[in-house]
Amino acid sequence: MKPIVNTTKTVLDRNLPIATKNRPVARIGSSNPLAPKPGNGAKHRILVVDDEKPIADSLVFLLNHEGFMATAAYSGEEAQRSAAGNPVHLLISDVMMPGVNGVESAIQICKVSPACKVILFSGHEDAPALVERAKGEGYNFELIQKPLHPQELLSKLRIALAR
């Protein structure tokens, strides 16, 4: 399994301190460069979906650090239950997951949250066909190929939320 988000590289790219056993990173609210950036997008609810928990959690960490309000779901079914209770402004989801795939889940979530923007990601060769089929049904989902680069994802996310 190849991780799609290299949090170590992201931290190093930003010259941020890395927590170690003997040197923990400061708490949120201090002069901690790892503290979330206020007001960047906290009014938008972002749902991150991936059946690989470390990937979903890494993306949620990145987005929350950037000032967004992100939560994770670990299956298409869980994502749909989460969206049924709270409107979703942006869905970021893996396409190929057991059970309900990311495209099917995105369609159902968009029915509950019609203004929801969708960014899908996948490294699977069948993913583009699934996204094209959804376009034929009137859904305009963006597809990013794995591996994801954090800055590319953040850029596409900001563009999607600005629309």
Side-chain angles (χ1 to χ4, degrees), residues 112-128:
V112 174
S113 299
C116 181
K117 310 292 190 237
V118 177
I119 298 174
L120 301 169
F121 60 90
S122 182
H124 199 275
E125 63 187 31
D126 293 339

Side-chain angles (χ1 to χ4, degrees), residues 44-50 56-57 59-60 63-64 68-94 97 102 105-106 108-110 112-113 116-121 153 157 161:
H44 299 290
R45 179 167 185 256
I46 300 173
L47 182 59
V48 177
V49 187
D50 198 317
D57 290 345
L59 290 172
V60 166
L63 295 173
N64 287 336
F68 295 99
M69 187 175 63
T71 57
Y74 307 110
S75 70
E77 297 89 350
E78 183 182 348
Q80 290 175 45
R81 286 191 302 274
S82 177
N86 294 312
V88 176
H89 299 99
L90 180 73
L91 173 69
I92 301 172
S93 178
D94 189 10
M97 296 183 288
S105 180
Q108 294 306 312
I109 289 170
C110 286
V112 174
S113 299
C116 181
K117 310 292 190 237
V118 177
I119 298 174
L120 301 169
F121 60 90
L153 177 64
L157 175 149
L161 288 174

